[in-house]
Amino acid sequence: MRGGYLRFEIRRAVRDSRFLVFAVALPVGLFVLLSHPYQSQGATPAYLMGGLAAFGAFKAALDTGARTAVERGAGWQRQLRLTPLSGAGYLVAKGAVAMLVALPPVVGVALVAALTADVRLPFAGWAQAVFGIWLGTAPFALLGLLVGQLCSARNVQTYQGGLLLLLGFVGGLLIPVASFPPVLAGVARVLPSYWLAEIGHGAVSGSGRLGSAPAVLATYTVALGVAVIARYRRDGARG
């Protein structure tokens, strides 16, 4: 049942062409608009590529997971609880689809950076910038699921927007955190989006460094995974 439901969710995601196009078009469009003006603020096109690839990935994953709020409001989750599909199977399928839709924005930003801004990286650098950022998106897929479990269909977009501003702008994905005031820079380094972008920034700096990013993102993944499971069970207990 789990495999069949996962295929069903993947088909739903692929058929939602408007969402997929927007998921790619937004970070790619931002790169085209900002790659030259932001050089004067110390953000080279390569640096901006790392930040916007992370932005596109986490936004797509977050939005996909958060859409479960609509399903909850329509009673879809309640109906699925009456089928042989386990709660774990449902959450795994949702998380897998969120990760799936997070990959095209990363690839899109990388391609546009290479074709329009002459960004050049060795093979290992491109692998880190694309697949490293994609794999690091796991906690954001879970964060989206948590938002979808906590919010209603009416207010979920408000919370999504707030998280997008916090994670995207305060996280330093567009402007180097080194240019932030000390207090804001401290806040940025607590956010998972900062560490996701660090994977890309390490790839484009030539150092290939990952630093603490994998450990921080793994910690967020575990914590958010526990929170998602607890909330899903609580909803189930309510009936």
Side-chain angles (χ1 to χ4, degrees), residues 40-216:
S40 62
Q41 299 186 33
T44 64
Y47 182 96
L48 193 63
M49 180 192 76
L52 283 175
F55 174 81
F58 92 69
K59 183 182 185 303
L62 179 69
D63 289 352
T64 300
R67 293 166 81 181
T68 57
V70 178
E71 295 183 358
R72 286 176 59 245
W76 177 239
Q77 276 192 9
R78 191 178 303 110
Q79 292 297 318
L80 287 175
R81 293 181 196 275
L82 303 177
T83 71
L85 179 68
S86 66
Y90 172 78
L91 294 175
V92 168
K94 288 294 186 181
V97 171
M99 289 296 295
L100 176 67
V101 300
L103 184 58
V106 183
V107 175
V109 171
L111 282 174
V112 171
L115 295 174
T116 68
D118 200 33
V119 174
R120 296 290 180 265
L121 298 177
F123 178 80
W126 284 117
Q128 180 175 323
V130 175
F131 294 106
I133 289 175
W134 177 59
L135 292 174
T137 310
F140 301 93
L142 292 169
L143 178 60
L145 283 173
L146 183 60
V147 170
Q149 294 298 121
L150 291 172
C151 298
S152 68
R154 290 185 298 177
N155 63 18
V156 65
Q157 290 188 344
T158 301
Y159 287 95
Q160 282 178 263
L163 283 171
L164 183 64
L165 289 173
L166 176 66
L167 297 172
F169 293 95
V170 181
L173 274 63
L174 300 180
I175 302 174
V177 173
S179 65
F180 285 6
V183 173
L184 190 59
V187 173
R189 292 185 176 93
V190 175
L191 300 176
S193 52
Y194 168 83
W195 297 101
L196 183 64
E198 280 295 283
I199 296 176
H201 294 157
V204 303
S205 69
S207 66
R209 60 183 175 84
L210 290 173
S212 302
V216 173

Side-chain angles (χ1 to χ4, degrees), residues 210-231:
L210 290 173
S212 302
V216 173
L217 293 170
T219 301
Y220 268 106
T221 300
V222 172
L224 288 167
V226 170
V228 168
I229 292 170
R231 180 63 190 186

